[in-house]
Amino acid sequence: MKKLLVSSLTIILSFSATSILAEQKMDHDDMENMAPKAETSDQQITHSAKGTVTKVDASSKKVTLAHEPVESLSWPAMTMGFSVKDEALLTKLKVGETVDFEFMKVEQGYVITEVK
């Protein structure tokens, strides 16, 4: 009788452990599928924002903007530096001016592609 009870408990625990492991594996797979995919060179997404120019650095082809939230990236409002795709864009940017701009992610960070 004792052997039967031990065998039964072993089988029950074995099924429980297998079930728990299967659930954990499924949860992990589901989370991987929900994670945002990395942008690739052939899938570059352009984002739009509005911001105020706080600094222009022509020597490094960079501009710092205090921008509003960027919904497409789920970013809150913040101040950050951007490179510019074309140096000519820097002539459109004056400290204190508010601009609409478009940008995309590249290997080195985020690059402004257009200023309106």
Side-chain angles (χ1 to χ4, degrees):
M1 181 74 149
K2 191 174 182 182
K3 260 186 167 178
L4 180 61
L5 182 59
V6 170
S7 293
S8 296
L9 283 174
T10 302
I11 291 170
I12 291 170
L13 290 174
S14 192
F15 281 123
S16 295
T18 302
S19 175
I20 290 169
L21 289 173
E23 283 181 31
Q24 288 176 342
K25 170 93 173 96
M26 185 176 69
D27 290 343
H28 176 71
D29 290 345
D30 288 344
M31 289 175 66
E32 278 184 358
N33 291 335
M34 290 171 43
K37 304 294 181 209
E39 293 178 11
T40 60
S41 58
D42 61 344
Q43 180 197 2
Q44 291 182 340
I45 299 170
T46 301
H47 307 280
S48 298
K50 178 181 264 187
T52 302
V53 179
T54 62
K55 181 180 177 183
V56 177
D57 186 351
S59 64
S60 66
K61 293 177 34 173
K62 291 191 177 186
V63 61
T64 303
L65 295 163
H67 65 75
E68 295 177 357
V70 181
E71 290 183 33
S72 60
L73 291 168
S74 299
W75 284 0
M78 67 177 106
T79 300
M80 64 182 285
F82 292 89
S83 296
V84 291
K85 184 174 182 177
D86 180 2
E87 253 181 282
L89 291 175
L90 293 173
T91 62
K92 295 181 177 183
L93 302 169
K94 306 288 184 236
V95 174
E97 186 177 47
T98 299
V99 294
D100 291 311
F101 63 101
E102 292 185 2
F103 64 99
M104 65 177 44
K105 178 149 178 51
V106 295
E107 282 185 36
Q108 302 84 5
Y110 290 92
V111 174
I112 294 178
T113 56
E114 187 177 346
V115 176
K116 301 172 189 171

